[in-house]
């Protein structure tokens, strides 16, 4: 039986039904009977010191009666929690009192947003009262903040948002307490009369097997979350406050880079560059309580934190890295859709950018304009390359223009419809995309999401028939569909997506075109038992089928797995998998024909049915240690015959006979393992260490196509809530490459920051990146010393 038929047969035999599930649920108390509180007005603001002893707290709204929702199911919590909320003409004030065994409390002096491993209390504040979106305000026992935006229907909040606020906390003899002040000008909300906000509060207690307590009860298995939030009345007394912010920045950069040796084969040289100072200005103005305008002129959009190294050997498609630059992070959730039509890291070095985002009634909207210098910029090394001269003459000094327009409207309980369009123009590339996305939630257990995107582009398209890049027009189509059914025990999700051969999104991220991917996942979750050795378990099975737009199957897998949850935050997931993979030479290069050789040596297409087994796990035995591991073995998977640099040249039979032979993909055995350990000896120090091993051995020649070892270590000394020192080192064995990073930072609020950093890139007994020749001792590839200063000037408007 062919691999394709095996996959189709397994799909038919897959247990369960997407719609025919039954479920039972513990009924929750209605928000209308217990979850209504009236916001209290303060005559005098409290002192933000973590001690709730001011008279103002006596008039605050008081949230009590929390209920344990994990591992219990709306049962009594282990410890009581009290949350108090009040306001005055300038700010909203939050007070938290969490009873606990103070010796067991988990709290670190962490950087902002880095408190997920601590005990925390999180407020979900829906300031537009539509139960669709909420600010996330979380605090650990020392008052360290985590803030973001949660959108109903998403799995996790978007923590890229940073609000201007202050908070202090302390561990007490009976637990811990926090006080926080959030200026009204930091929040977006409607100033209309008679409005009310919605509120949910949750407390996570790590040392009690990750106990989760909620102010409002939850129904296990429901996809709805904000729909069950309580109500905060008295909001119509809040004055609408707007603000103007200016953030000037100055960056000083001293850099050096390695340059190739002389044409005669001389040694490589290292060239230091002169100081490169840069001055920029960013600004933000609240046009109303729900609309803001952001402007940046010659901003410093360089990342302060480098991307962590990953294994890229034997990879056919690009890897997506997350956005980390503050200007683009603000309001980023509005532009994110299932199809990545907007990926702001494609805007590399903008000379200027403007962004307008806001909410009017049930409609959220956004506009982003940018002029990017990166496509027309060439390094000194590139400018000295005569083979690039014609390209430099044609493209050098030109900027690309980017435009993004977004609108999203709430149409009912949990349902939205949105429009998204982008435009891109450069000297030799033009691109327009446009589409619609819809989310429907007819009931709390059924959610459907769909997106359809059309594209037009004029650019060079590769033609495998002629082995040439052809400048022409191309139109493309992208689609996404997801149907999720949740229940107390049984959950299913059907997902489909695809992009046609000429799909182009210059402003987005596209890993692969000419593909359709459909999957069905079923999962059974057991009940949770807090006092048992095996607290809970779940069994899942995923079937995936992938085929191109010509109808040819290209990939698929079957993946059953079992997840076990034990005390001390210990989880283990195990499962085998069976994968089918088929490749065609025109995906890699020219297609063979009269007078033209193909990209493959031998047969023009290859297929394999490979097996594997994976184990992942994590544990937090106490508040000092966190351990994560993964192991993965597979047999008969493809080596695409790319090789991996000078240390691992191609090892296919064709390449061993002739290093210049066409690609000769063939089966191989892989082994991947990783181990990560985090150690927090005291609250102000965190040490992370990780090791990754990844290798592939060809089965027909017995040689390694690649064998990578990655060692990473990072130590963070948190000198206070806003000041830290960080030292990181990464070593990649396949390149004999060591990267070190040192960073000292002071970040008292979003916008105000002082960074001093030094990065170094070295090879030891490695190879020249230009000639591939083995080099003795240490050789430097690049180094950078930088200073970045920015300051937030903020004025609240009447």
């Amino acid at each position: 039986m062919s691999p394709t038929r095996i996959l189709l047969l397994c799909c038919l035999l897959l247990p369960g039904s997407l719609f025919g599930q039954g479920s039972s649920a513990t009924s929750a108390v209605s928000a209308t009977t217990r979850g209504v509180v009236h916001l209290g007005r303060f005559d005098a603001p409290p002192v933000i010191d973590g001690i709730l002893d001011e008279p103002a707290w006596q008039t605050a709204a008081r949230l009590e009666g929390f209920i344990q929702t994990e591992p219990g199911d709306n049962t009594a919590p282990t410890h009581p929690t009290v949350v108090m909320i009040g306001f005055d003409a300038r700010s909203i004030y939050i007070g938290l009192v969490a009873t606990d065994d103070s010796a067991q409390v988990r709290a670190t002096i962490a950087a902002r947003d880095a408190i997920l491993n601590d005990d925390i209390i999180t407020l979900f504040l829906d300031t537009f009262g539509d139960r669709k979106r909420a600010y996330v305000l979380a605090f650990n026992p020392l008052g360290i903040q985590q803030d973001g935006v949660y959108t109903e229907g998403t799995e996790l909040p978007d923590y890229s948002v940073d609000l201007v606020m202050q908070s202090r906390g302390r561990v007490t003899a009976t637990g811990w307490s926090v006080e926080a002040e959030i200026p009204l000008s930091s929040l977006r909300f409607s100033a209309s009369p008679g409005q009310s906000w919605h509120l949910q509060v949750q407390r996570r207690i790590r040392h009690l097997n990750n106990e989760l307590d909620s102010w409002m009860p939850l129904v296990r298995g429901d996809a709805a979350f904000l729909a069950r939030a309580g109500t905060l009345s008295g909001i119509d007394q809040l004055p609408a406050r707007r603000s103007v912010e200016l953030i000037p920045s100055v960056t000083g950069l001293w850099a050096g880079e390695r340059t190739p040796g002389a044409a005669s084969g001389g040694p490589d040289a290292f060239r230091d560059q002169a100081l490169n100072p840069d001055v920029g200005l960013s600004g933000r103005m609240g046009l109303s309580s729900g609309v803001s305008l952001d402007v940046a002129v010659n901003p410093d959009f360089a990342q302060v934190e480098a991307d962590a190294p990953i294994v890229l050997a034997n990879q056919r498609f690009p890897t997506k890295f997350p956005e980390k630059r503050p200007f683009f992070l603000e309001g980023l959730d509005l532009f994110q859709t299932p199809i990545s039509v907007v990926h702001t890291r494609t805007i590399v070095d903008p000379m200027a950018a403007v962004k307008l985002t806001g909410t009017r009634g049930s409609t959220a909207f956004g506009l982003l304009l940018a002029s990017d210098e990166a496509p027309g910029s060439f390094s000194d090394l590139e400018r000295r390359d005569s083979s690039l001269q014609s390209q430099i003459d044609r493209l050098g000094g030109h900027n690309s223009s980017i435009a993004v327009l977004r609108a999203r409207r709430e149409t009912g309980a949990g349902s939205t419809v949105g429009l998204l369009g982008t435009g891109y123009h450069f000297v030799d590339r033009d691109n327009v995309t446009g589409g619609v996305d819809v989310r429907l939630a007819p009931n709390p257990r059924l959610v459907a999401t769909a997106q359809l995107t059309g594209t037009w582009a004029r650019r060079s398209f590769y033609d495998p028939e002629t082995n040439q890049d052809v400048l022409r027009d191309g139109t493309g189509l992208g689609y996404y569909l997801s149907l999720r059914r949740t229940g107390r025990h049984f959950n299913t999700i059907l997902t489909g997506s695809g992009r046609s051969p000429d799909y182009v999104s210059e402003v987005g991220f596209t890993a692969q075109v000419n593909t359709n991917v459909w999957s069905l996942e079923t999962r059974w979750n057991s009940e949770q038992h807090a006092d048992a050795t095996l607290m809970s378990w779940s069994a899942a099975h995923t079937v995936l089928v992938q085929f191109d737009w010509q109808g040819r199957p290209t990939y698929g897998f079957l993946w059953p797995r079992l997840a076990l949850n034990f005390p001390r935050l210990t989880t283990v997931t195990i499962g085998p998998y069976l994968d089918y993979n088929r490749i065609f030479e025109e995906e890699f290069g020219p297609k063979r024909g009269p007078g033209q050789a193909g990209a493959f040596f031998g047969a023009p297409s290859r297929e394999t049915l490979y097996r594997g087994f994976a184990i992942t796990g994590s544990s937090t035995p106490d508040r000092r240690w966190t351990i994560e591991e993964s192991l993965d073995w597979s047999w008969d998977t493809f080596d695409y015959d790319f090789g991996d640099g000078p240390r691992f040249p191609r090892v296919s039979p064709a390449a061993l006979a002739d290093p210049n032979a066409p690609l000769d993909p063939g089966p191989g055995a892989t082994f991947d393992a990783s181990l990560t350990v985090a150690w927090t000896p005291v609250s102000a120090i965190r040490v992370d260490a990780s090791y990754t091993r990844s290798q592939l051995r060809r089965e027909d020649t017995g040689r390694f196509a690649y064998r990578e070892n990655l060692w990473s270590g990072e130590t963070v000394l948190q000198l206070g809530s806003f000041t830290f020192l960080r030292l990181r080192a990464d070593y990649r064995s396949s390149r004999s490459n060591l990267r070190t990073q040192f960073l000292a930072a002071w970040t008292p609020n979003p916008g105000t920051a002082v960074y001093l950093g030094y990065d170094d890139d070295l090879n030891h007994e490695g190879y020249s990146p230009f000639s591939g020749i083995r080099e003795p001792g240490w050789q430097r590839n690049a180094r950078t010393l930088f200073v970045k200063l920015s300051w937030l000037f903020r004025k609240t408007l009447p």
Side-chain angles (χ1 to χ4, degrees), residues 724-742:
F724 69 85
L725 303 176
R726 183 174 65 209
L727 178 63
R728 180 182 178 92
D730 301 289
Y731 180 76
R732 183 188 297 269
S733 68
S734 67
R735 304 293 190 271
S736 300
N737 177 251
L738 175 66
R739 287 169 41 193
T740 60
Q741 307 169 30
F742 171 78

Side-chain angles (χ1 to χ4, degrees), residues 555-570:
Y555 183 64
F557 64 73
L558 305 174
W559 183 29
R561 55 202 180 277
L562 180 66
L564 308 174
N565 296 317
F566 302 96
R568 298 183 181 273
L569 302 180
T570 300

Side-chain angles (χ1 to χ4, degrees), residues 260-316:
S264 59
D268 296 343
F270 191 86
R271 182 188 299 268
D272 284 309
Q273 301 174 358
L275 170 65
N276 183 21
D278 199 12
V279 178
L281 178 66
S282 298
R284 177 182 303 162
M285 180 177 181
L287 303 181
S288 69
S289 58
V291 181
S292 67
L293 175 68
D294 294 73
V295 180
V297 179
N298 194 31
D300 173 25
F301 279 154
Q303 287 183 203
V304 172
E305 179 183 356
D307 295 309
I310 59 175
V311 178
L312 295 175
N314 206 46
Q315 299 295 312
R316 293 175 58 194

